[in-house]
């Protein structure tokens, strides 16, 4: 019986922490940024496949740690700038904002970014047929 408890404890400790937060997507770096602009446009942050594409470089998001009682995770960030000789390592906290979007905190700095709608969602909404006017739908004369 004791062996089963030890095995259960070992399996629980070996489990990888689950993603508490879905951060992948595109975010406005400023309120003026147009979410309709293509991927090459300036003024956006993008998180894709565990890589943070910022305004001045990219960072691999490694070793996620869930923050207890918060929808947030800490990451070790291995970053490099536009010049490959400019590299740094930093810790960053990613958290869902109370009003949506992303809160990103680096040592001493915190930023809030609005999430851009997924392009396929925008295209589907525009392609959906408009509902008939209410009076036309209810008229039976």
């Amino acid at each position: 019986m004791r062996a089963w408890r030890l095995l259960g404890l070992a399996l629980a400790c070996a489990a990888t922490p689950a993603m508490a937060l879905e951060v992948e997507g595109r975010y406005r770096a400023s309120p003026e940024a147009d979410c309709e602009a293509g991927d090459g446009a300036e003024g956006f942050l993008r998180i894709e496949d565990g890589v943070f594409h910022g305004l001045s470089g990219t960072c691999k998001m490694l070793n996620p740690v869930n923050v207890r009682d918060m929808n947030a995770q800490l990451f070790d960030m291995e970053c490099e700038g536009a010049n490959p000789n400019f590299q740094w390592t930093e810790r960053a906290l990613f958290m869902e904002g109370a009003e949506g979007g992303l809160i990103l905190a680096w040592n001493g700095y915190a930023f809030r970014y609005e999430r851009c709608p997924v392009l396929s969602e925008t295209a589907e909404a525009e392609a959906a047929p408009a509902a008939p006017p209410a009076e036309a739908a209810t008229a039976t004369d």
Side-chain angles (χ1 to χ4, degrees), residues 119-139:
L119 293 178
S120 63
E121 290 173 3
T122 305
E124 288 173 13
E126 290 174 356
E135 49 196 58
T138 60

Side-chain angles (χ1 to χ4, degrees), residues 37-117:
D39 272 342
E42 290 187 21
F44 293 95
L45 307 173
R46 184 170 44 94
I47 302 171
E48 184 176 47
D49 297 327
V51 178
F52 174 84
H53 302 271
L55 300 176
S56 61
T58 60
C59 302
K60 293 178 187 172
M61 301 166 61
L62 306 171
N63 305 318
V65 176
N66 293 333
V67 179
R68 185 182 68 244
D69 297 331
M70 298 174 71
N71 192 13
Q73 284 187 308
L74 282 166
F75 289 91
D76 292 330
M77 307 290 279
E78 289 185 0
C79 307
E80 69 177 39
N83 176 346
N85 294 325
F86 184 54
Q87 298 179 354
W88 69 98
T89 302
E90 190 84 38
R91 296 270 291 173
L93 174 77
F94 290 74
M95 179 186 327
E96 184 177 339
E99 297 173 2
L102 175 71
I103 294 174
L104 175 56
W106 302 82
N107 190 18
Y109 300 94
F111 306 92
R112 183 184 180 284
Y113 300 109
E114 180 182 336
R115 184 187 291 264
C116 287

